[in-house]
Amino acid sequence: MRLRRALAVFGLAGVSLVSTAVAVRADPLGAAANQVVVRDGETKPVYDFGKAIRELVYVETPVDSDRDGKHDKLAVYVTRPKETDGSLKVASIVEPSPYNGGTLDVPYHPAKVTDYPRTAPWSPPTGPQPPVDYDPIYYDNYFVSRGYAVISADTLGTGNSEGCPSAIGTDEKVGMKTVVEWLTGKAKAFTADGKEVKASWSTGNVAMAGKSYDGTLPVAVASTGVPGLKTVVSISGIASWYSYYRANGAVVSPGGYVGEDADLHAKVVLTRKNAAVCEKPIREMVTAMDRVSGDYNAFWNERNFAKDMKNFKGSVLQVSGVNDWNVKPKNFTDLWTALGNNNTPRKLWLHQGQHDDPLYVAEQAWLDQVHKWFDHWLYNVDNGVMKEPMVHFEAAPGKWVDYRNWPEPGAHDVTFRFGANGKPAQPGVLTPFWAPGFGKKQSFVDDPNRTADSLVSGMDKADPNRLLYVSDPLPFNARVSGTPQVTVRASVDGKSPYLSALLVDYGKDTRVTELVKTQDQWCFGDTLGTNSGCRPKRVYKTAESDYQVVSRGWLDVRNRNSASVTEPIRPGKPYTFTWNMEPRQYQLKAGHRLGVVLLVTDQDYTLQYPAGTQVTATLGESSVKIPLVAG
């Protein structure tokens, strides 16, 4: 999740089909002054977006995160059909966000470690408050014209809100929960001059939706089980902040942002007035997140929303890019698994992009999907959306397939062992059979100045700074679908406590690199009044390459038995280390080779300890387990 405004992807609403009664008129020829109009299984655009009511209110929360002795108020910007000032009642789509007030430049923590991980000095911002901008919320013109209220809410300590941000700690979660409670008549809101404002126009059916941080807040609020929240659309959302900034005890960063940590997400969005009042709470965050040990502790448990999704009685539409190394894949799989364990109504879109909005990936198809989803869960429209396949996967750019679930039904684990090649100048072998050189030991020495790309390349030669094991050419096409797992019998001797592993697809191919803007634009249809629905088109950028990193995973060897407990190791003593890599959905082609690269420092993700740590692995007792589907 990048530390800047994430373009919002908007979403849904709704929980059970027997929830709050909603006035819906199936006859489109009737007046739309008091009933939402539905025809052909969908809400119709009968309300003039240009004449919509726009108002800023302040919802009073039960928390005092800035410790000034008063309840914090959240700024909430509402856009609703003008007919709601009469008898029309509408459902609400809420995008909670810390980004309406923009972002600040803050120092990253040092990535290089000399003695122990240090934190960067920081001072709270001073001076005038940055400008706050609520325009436009994604899809506002589309859904307001169809009889929805579209709402943007500043989270604690950001924009026009009071309080202090905390990377969605309890106060931030409860604060945003109160916005839902206001829409259901169970909380109070006020104008800037103190006059109480009731959401008398609300049906009490609420959806929360957004992307990145904006897609994480809905998950956090859902985990509270707040009544009235019927559905969540989470795009590139975080299920547990530990999986975003840590991995098996290792301090890791979103790809390319080494030195970022949970406190930076509070500092970068601290755009409220009088920001200095948040200095103490944020400094307490720095200590509590424990950048030294990397252990899972109370700070991270507070920000683990997946564990509490049993409280949620609504539905969830998830979206993730399979090449997203910002909000890494473990976050979408942890949430997806939790929803399945709790029998939550759910759907999943997986696309080939990175940290990207599905609107840029599938355009009209995505807009149609969220339209159906909102209509079904907020207005009880019987449109068949829940009869569609559960998983919609972009197997290649623009080519989609459907599955009953994820991982793919039929995926099963295949174990490949690390073996000797017999040729000292070449890498080892990766084999599903008996490993050549069983019991033999192989060593490498860490060089933190080497990039992962430099260590992955050179499939045909050995390298002193990594171990590489490569399979025979694959006899048929196959897909990785699930979570690979590495087991290494090894000793670790040096200052770095890390082990990193990369799963690599070796073989020349044209591969997706990113989504890029084009000069053309496309616009939403059926917008009455002002058309704010135009966006640049985006297309996939591809490039030919000899390899692609399929997955990667990290371990602090001191956390070999538990992410919560640091246990020192004895230098030179062999231990068996097992850790999960990032989950993946990835197509492998016949003739390509699978490779596993074992290293210490993964430069774009991990801390960089002094060079020289030596790792000695035992062949035959080291392996990788890969979930595969043939075809």
Side-chain angles (χ1 to χ4, degrees), residues 566-586:
T566 293
E567 302 174 79
I569 65 169
R570 288 174 53 190
K573 178 182 176 179
Y575 297 84
T576 298
F577 305 108
T578 298
W579 69 101
N580 286 342
M581 303 175 79
E582 287 293 320
R584 289 289 279 154
Q585 180 74 20
Y586 183 87

Side-chain angles (χ1 to χ4, degrees), residues 445-570:
V445 176
D446 176 50
D447 181 353
N449 295 314
R450 298 273 307 268
T451 65
D453 279 339
S454 74
L455 294 166
V456 168
S457 61
M459 184 188 72
D460 57 347
K461 59 183 179 181
D463 189 304
N465 300 131
R466 52 92 163 132
L467 292 177
L468 169 61
Y469 301 94
V470 182
S471 75
D472 289 337
L474 298 175
F476 44 73
N477 293 338
R479 286 182 302 281
V480 179
S481 186
T483 304
Q485 185 183 77
V486 177
T487 295
V488 177
R489 179 70 174 173
S491 62
V492 180
D493 189 356
K495 293 187 175 181
S496 179
Y498 291 168
L499 282 177
S500 302
L502 312 180
L503 179 64
V504 184
D505 171 15
Y506 286 105
K508 189 175 290 293
D509 204 352
T510 299
R511 296 180 168 95
V512 173
T513 57
E514 59 182 323
L515 273 175
V516 294
K517 287 183 180 180
T518 68
Q519 296 302 313
D520 298 326
Q521 293 204 340
W522 64 280
C523 302
F524 305 154
D526 293 332
T527 57
L528 297 181
T530 304
N531 189 341
S532 66
C534 293
R535 293 291 181 271
K537 288 185 178 180
R538 294 201 178 198
V539 297
Y540 282 113
K541 182 179 179 181
T542 60
E544 195 169 82
S545 63
D546 295 326
Y547 65 86
Q548 179 161 317
V549 175
V550 177
S551 185
R552 58 208 320 149
W554 314 272
L555 170 74
D556 185 326
V557 297
R558 300 169 299 183
N559 292 86
R560 59 194 178 279
N561 294 315
S562 170
S564 303
V565 180
T566 293
E567 302 174 79
I569 65 169
R570 288 174 53 190

Side-chain angles (χ1 to χ4, degrees), residues 248 325 328-334 336-337 406-408 411-415 479-487 503 550-554 578-586 624-629:
N248 306 302
W325 288 100
K328 296 179 282 293
K330 190 176 189 302
N331 273 285
F332 96 73
T333 57
D334 283 355
W336 184 250
T337 300
W406 194 90
E408 280 187 60
H412 64 280
D413 290 333
V414 178
T415 298
R479 286 182 302 281
V480 179
S481 186
T483 304
Q485 185 183 77
V486 177
T487 295
L503 179 64
V550 177
S551 185
R552 58 208 320 149
W554 314 272
T578 298
W579 69 101
N580 286 342
M581 303 175 79
E582 287 293 320
R584 289 289 279 154
Q585 180 74 20
Y586 183 87
V624 61
K625 189 185 298 180
I626 306 173
L628 293 174
V629 182

Side-chain angles (χ1 to χ4, degrees), residues 20 70 76 95 109 127 139 170 261 310 360 524-525 592:
T20 307
K70 298 182 295 183
V76 175
E95 184 192 28
H109 300 306
Y139 303 165
T170 298
D261 215 325
K310 60 183 180 294
Y360 290 133
F524 305 154
H592 285 208

Side-chain angles (χ1 to χ4, degrees), residues 53-73:
I53 295 167
R54 294 167 173 83
E55 57 186 341
L56 183 63
V57 303
Y58 298 86
V59 174
E60 185 176 71
T61 76
V63 305
D64 179 17
S65 61
D66 56 12
R67 307 171 190 177
D68 65 355
K70 298 182 295 183
H71 290 163
D72 299 333
K73 291 186 177 69

Side-chain angles (χ1 to χ4, degrees), residues 111-189:
K112 293 186 179 297
V113 179
T114 54
D115 44 11
Y116 62 89
R118 304 277 183 165
T119 55
W122 170 78
S123 297
T126 57
Q129 181 186 17
V132 182
D133 181 12
Y134 298 108
D135 182 46
I137 299 174
Y138 243 67
Y139 303 165
D140 55 351
N141 62 324
Y142 189 88
F143 283 106
V144 170
S145 69
R146 286 165 166 77
Y148 291 87
V150 176
I151 296 166
S152 182
D154 295 335
T155 192
L156 290 177
T158 73
N160 288 316
S161 287
E162 299 171 343
C164 298
S166 60
I168 319 184
T170 298
D171 283 350
E172 195 170 328
K173 177 174 62 177
V174 172
M176 196 56 67
K177 169 190 172 186
T178 313
V179 175
V180 177
E181 292 174 328
W182 174 63
L183 293 167
T184 59
K186 297 178 181 178
K188 292 184 177 182

